[in-house]
């Protein structure tokens, strides 16, 4: 976490509600550690770890990321 305190670029954190590998609480710890004033945390319902990039929640993840990149 110490290196995250040096991050000052816009950043998006996403967590799956059902992720047991990287639980929402651990992602939130990273989010809270980042120094950037432009940051966002999103929690994706019913998503497990891999679902965010290659599973049934991929479409939701893509829409969130696409929206975030368009505004940042």
């Amino acid at each position: 976490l110490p290196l995250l305190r040096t991050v000052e670029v816009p950043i998006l954190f996403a967590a799956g509600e059902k992720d047991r590998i990287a639980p929402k609480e651990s992602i939130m710890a990273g989010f809270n550690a980042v120094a950037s004033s432009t940051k966002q945390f999103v929690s994706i319902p019913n998503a497990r770890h891999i679902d965010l990039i290659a599973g049934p929640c991929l479409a939701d993840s893509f829409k969130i990321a696409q929206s975030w990149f368009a505004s940042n």
Side-chain angles (χ1 to χ4, degrees):
L1 291 178
L3 285 177
L4 289 177
R5 291 182 181 89
T6 66
V7 175
E8 296 180 0
V9 297
I11 190 166
L12 172 65
F13 285 81
E17 287 284 333
K18 294 184 177 181
D19 191 337
R20 292 185 290 159
I21 296 170
K24 183 170 71 169
E25 296 76 20
S26 65
I27 304 302
M28 184 57 82
F31 173 82
N32 289 330
V34 167
S36 177
S37 61
T38 306
K39 59 184 179 178
Q40 182 180 355
F41 176 87
V42 293
S43 182
I44 301 175
N46 299 314
R48 294 169 296 174
H49 191 72
I50 198 67
D51 294 344
L52 297 174
I53 60 167
C57 299
L58 177 60
D60 292 336
S61 297
F62 182 77
K63 287 176 190 172
I64 290 166
Q66 185 179 34
S67 174
W68 187 84
F69 279 110
S71 64
N72 291 291

